[in-house]
Amino acid sequence: MNFVQPIRDKNKIKEIKALLLKNNYRDFILFTLGINTGFRISDILEIKVGDVRNKTHIAINEKKTDKLKKAYINSSLKEELDKYIFDMNDDDFLFRSREGENKPISRVRAYQLLTDVAKKVGLEEIGTHTLRKTFGYWHYRQHKDIALLQELFNHSAPSVTLRYIGINQDAMDESLENFYL
C-alpha cells in the first residue's frame, strides 16, 4: 500500500482546482468537498444531492466507524455546491457516474481523476486519501488545535493525527534544514 501525502502547497491546490474546473465541474466539486470537509472518499461518494441542498451541515454515517459525522458547509462551499446541484434531483448521487442509472463514481475512478490531475501539476504520492489529509494539514496550520483535529478525524491520539497529516515529518525536516556538523 502506498503512503499518500497532503497537498502542502496552496498554489498546487489552486492549480488543481483550475484544471478540474476547466475539465469537469463534478470532479472540481469532488476535490473541493474533500479538502474542505475531511470526509473519507468512501463517504463522499455516497452523498446525495438532498444531503447538501438547503443544509448547513453534511451529515453522514461513516462507513469505516459507523459513527455519525457532520461537516459544516461554509458560505464558499455552499455557493459552489448550489451552482453544481441547481438542476439535479434530491435523490441523485452528488458524484454520479456516467455509467448506470444514478450510481456514484467508483473509488477507482476517483483515484484515477485525482492522480491524473496531480501528475499534471507535478505532484506525486497522491491518492483519494490526499483530500482528507490536505484538509487536516491546512486545518492544523490555520488553527494549531491538534485536539480538535483529532476529534474531527476520530483518531485515538494526537500523535496519530500529527503523523497522519504529515506534520511530524515536516517538523523533522525543518529541524534538519540548517543542522550540519
Side-chain angles (χ1 to χ4, degrees):
M1 181 174 146
N2 295 336
F3 190 76
V4 302
Q5 298 293 325
I7 302 170
R8 292 177 172 88
D9 182 341
K10 281 195 176 179
N11 289 324
K12 293 293 182 187
I13 292 172
K14 287 179 185 174
E15 285 181 55
I16 288 171
K17 284 177 139 186
L19 281 171
L20 290 173
L21 192 55
K22 187 172 100 175
N23 294 329
N24 188 314
Y25 199 54
R26 177 200 68 193
D27 299 346
F28 166 79
I29 294 294
L30 174 70
F31 180 79
T32 302
L33 185 73
I35 65 171
N36 284 287
T37 62
F39 286 158
R40 290 178 183 88
I41 196 69
S42 57
D43 297 321
I44 290 171
L45 296 178
E46 294 298 317
I47 297 172
K48 293 193 172 187
V49 172
D51 297 329
V52 299
R53 180 174 277 140
N54 301 319
K55 302 281 199 279
T56 59
H57 292 80
I58 303 171
I60 59 165
N61 273 333
E62 289 184 312
K63 280 189 168 188
K64 184 175 181 179
T65 65
D66 199 34
K67 292 182 179 178
L68 178 66
K69 191 70 154 175
K70 289 173 73 172
Y72 181 69
I73 304 172
N74 67 29
S75 59
S76 299
L77 184 56
K78 181 171 180 34
E79 185 178 325
E80 293 294 351
L81 284 169
D82 286 348
K83 279 193 281 187
Y84 176 63
I85 66 171
F86 84 97
D87 65 346
M88 297 171 78
N89 297 318
D90 281 356
D91 62 339
D92 288 343
F93 281 98
L94 204 54
F95 305 106
R96 209 167 142 173
S97 172
R98 292 185 194 119
E99 298 173 13
E101 198 166 311
N102 195 26
K103 292 183 179 178
I105 63 171
S106 68
R107 287 179 56 99
V108 171
R109 180 66 193 123
Y111 174 81
Q112 289 169 339
L113 71 91
L114 290 171
T115 56
D116 287 349
V117 75
K119 283 179 191 167
K120 289 177 183 171
V121 300
L123 292 175
E124 297 177 358
E125 297 182 295
I126 300 297
T128 55
H129 237 50
T130 294
L131 303 177
R132 182 170 160 90
K133 288 183 176 199
T134 300
F135 164 82
Y137 179 84
W138 288 103
H139 191 280
Y140 178 75
R141 294 282 305 253
Q142 182 172 339
H143 299 287
K144 300 288 192 235
D145 189 342
I146 197 62
L148 176 59
L149 193 53
Q150 175 189 345
E151 177 89 11
L152 287 169
F153 280 159
N154 196 27
H155 285 163
S156 58
S159 60
V160 172
T161 303
L162 287 169
R163 186 176 65 244
Y164 180 79
I165 62 174
I167 294 293
N168 286 351
Q169 187 62 54
D170 285 356
M172 289 186 289
D173 292 350
E174 287 173 22
S175 76
L176 296 173
E177 175 64 30
N178 294 313
F179 182 85
Y180 181 78
L181 298 174

